[in-house]
Amino acid sequence: MNVEVSYSRHFKVGLVLCVLLSVLGVLCRGVRWDESYEHAQVLTETVSYPAEHPLKTYVQSPKSIQLVVTTWLLEWTASPAWVNGFRNFLFLLATILPVYLFTMVLCRNLWLALLAVALTLQGVFLEFDGSYPLQLWPELYSNGHIGIGMAGIALYLWIVGRHGWAGFSFVLLGVIHIGQLPPLMGTVGVVLLVSLLRGQRDPLRHFLSGAAIGIALAICLFLSVRLFMGVESDSHTPWFSDLGVEGAHAIWQRFTLEMDPHRRMPMVNGHLILLGTIVLAIAGLWTEKRGSLKKLHIGICLYLFFVASII
């Protein structure tokens, strides 16, 4: 699946504007408290927790490069404003950059791409909220949102034929926020299978080359965490309530089924709207192209289908 993209002066100007807009958005709205900063405080022992505390146990072996980078930044700067401000910048960039990239591919027009960014900042996409909460402006829970933005960038790289960079981004997403990997795995897996059946091996070869570099980076991350950032707990006493193991299990089960946005059944409207949009988009494109769909549209619709299918 290749889409020719011209990295013209207008395209690069748009990228710069996205970065500047993200910086200005943080400066104008003010810095907001970020969850990774909280965890970094534990790892740097800026805030003391008992050795057996659940939060300390949770963050003592970080698997996300977001937490690792945030911890390093806190150690270097010792500034809550800089650390949270940088996280806010990444949050807002994750909101607008994928929208800009996909609009430039679809429309090849800088002004339409910037218009799409402006509409995005108005929250027009929030009604698509389904099995995973969608966000817009920087707030506390940033890890998943930045992961969504990275997934969009990885999909963009694949669609425009940058298969090596797509493979690298694919693996990098696994250490940024692994929860966004399943839709990409389904999309790229189906497209790679079709390519192999057609005798096209270059996409797979380039994808694996980029993925190998990403895996090497992930291994370095894992080793650095083990060597320099591990916080060993002196106690293995579980923090259960007086209700005992069965009571604690009942509390946990109710939380995961009814309250945890990562696991609970989603609201119906988001999935219906998303699936309906896919059907309408395919029907409109089919009519416009008189029975032929562009590979770009097929790729985007395939990805949206996997996203809408996840519960």
Side-chain angles (χ1 to χ4, degrees), residues 47-193:
V47 176
S48 297
Y49 277 84
E52 69 276 9
H53 193 281
L55 180 59
K56 191 167 187 177
T57 302
Y58 172 72
V59 303
Q60 66 183 359
S61 297
K63 303 299 189 298
S64 170
I65 196 173
Q66 298 194 67
L67 178 53
V68 174
V69 172
T70 304
T71 302
W72 287 342
L73 188 60
L74 179 59
E75 289 179 337
W76 293 338
T77 65
S79 170
W82 277 104
V83 175
N84 287 288
F86 178 69
R87 293 290 303 171
N88 294 168
F89 163 75
L90 293 179
F91 191 112
L92 193 51
L93 191 63
T95 299
I96 63 177
L97 184 57
V99 174
Y100 169 78
L101 293 175
F102 280 114
T103 308
M104 282 296 288
V105 171
L106 289 169
C107 302
R108 311 296 177 89
N109 187 292
L110 175 62
W111 296 109
L112 289 178
L114 295 178
L115 176 62
V117 168
L119 291 175
T120 299
L121 293 177
Q122 297 297 316
V124 295
F125 67 95
L126 293 180
E127 192 61 29
F128 289 86
D129 186 36
S131 58
Y132 198 91
L134 295 178
Q135 301 174 90
L136 177 61
W137 295 96
E139 54 183 88
L140 174 63
Y141 298 109
S142 61
N143 288 330
H145 181 81
I146 293 174
I148 292 176
M150 186 63 202
I153 293 173
L155 179 64
Y156 164 81
L157 291 170
W158 175 264
I159 287 177
V160 299
R162 307 287 180 171
H163 299 131
W165 281 107
F168 175 79
S169 301
F170 194 95
V171 176
L172 190 61
L173 179 60
V175 294
I176 288 178
H177 198 269
I178 199 170
Q180 270 67 46
L181 263 182
L184 276 182
M185 291 174 65
T187 304
V188 175
V190 170
V191 176
L192 281 176
L193 179 60

Side-chain angles (χ1 to χ4, degrees), residues 219-233:
I219 292 174
C220 292
L221 169 67
F222 175 77
L223 293 177
S224 65
V225 167
R226 296 284 293 180
L227 291 174
F228 304 111
M229 297 183 63
V231 179
E232 296 297 334
S233 175

Side-chain angles (χ1 to χ4, degrees), residues 280-297:
L280 292 174
I282 293 176
L285 290 168
W286 188 276
T287 302
E288 180 183 355
K289 303 300 178 182
R290 296 183 179 180
S292 64
L293 295 178
K294 292 184 179 180
K295 293 181 178 179
L296 168 64
H297 303 133

